[in-house]
Amino acid sequence: MEEILKGILNALQIEIVFVDTTHTIRFMNKFAINNYKDRFGTDLVGKSIFNCHNENSKKLILKGFEELVQGKDKVQVFENEKIKEYMIAVRNEKGSLLGYFEIIERI
């Protein structure tokens, strides 16, 4: 099943970056890796999400994370004329937060 899910995530043409509750990047789909290849690429996996964000972005991520902890399932954390960025909760069957993934939609 893991291979199937990974294959589905890699087939999506949007950037997906999964981050656990310690804010450590655990997975990037192929589209995300390709879009970040000039800056970070797969080197981000295993590192803090905050290593590739400035202080303002860190505040937005922490605010969004708090909303996910409080029960929201999707939080928009950023938008400009080029992109919309969302944090989406990943929960286990009991509803406990396992982490979140970022989705960046190119406009």
Side-chain angles (χ1 to χ4, degrees):
M1 183 58 102
E2 183 177 330
E3 182 179 12
I4 293 169
L5 292 175
K6 190 174 181 179
I8 291 169
L9 293 173
N10 281 326
L12 296 174
Q13 296 298 303
I14 57 174
E15 297 169 27
I16 298 176
V17 178
F18 174 77
V19 182
D20 68 18
T21 56
T22 68
H23 304 287
T24 302
I25 297 169
R26 297 296 178 193
F27 174 81
M28 296 172 67
N29 73 342
K30 287 182 181 182
F31 198 75
I33 290 168
N34 188 50
N35 284 334
Y36 292 121
K37 69 181 174 190
D38 294 338
R39 294 183 285 164
F40 311 105
T42 57
D43 291 341
L44 289 173
V45 176
K47 295 185 178 152
S48 172
I49 190 77
F50 303 124
N51 288 353
C52 58
H53 287 85
N54 62 33
E55 282 301 311
N56 187 50
S57 293
K58 181 178 179 179
K59 290 176 188 174
L60 294 172
I61 291 168
L62 290 172
K63 181 180 180 288
F65 180 71
E66 275 306 309
E67 292 182 46
L68 298 179
V69 168
Q70 293 171 7
K72 283 196 173 181
D73 288 322
K74 182 177 181 180
V75 178
Q76 184 175 334
V77 291
F78 182 77
E79 180 177 0
N80 66 20
E81 63 280 349
K82 295 181 182 179
I83 66 168
K84 288 183 182 181
E85 185 171 347
Y86 300 91
M87 292 171 63
I88 299 174
V90 175
R91 301 182 189 282
N92 65 16
E93 291 179 4
K94 295 180 181 178
S96 297
L97 187 65
L98 302 174
Y100 55 93
F101 61 95
E102 293 183 317
I103 290 184
I104 297 174
E105 293 179 358
R106 306 265 176 218
I107 301 171

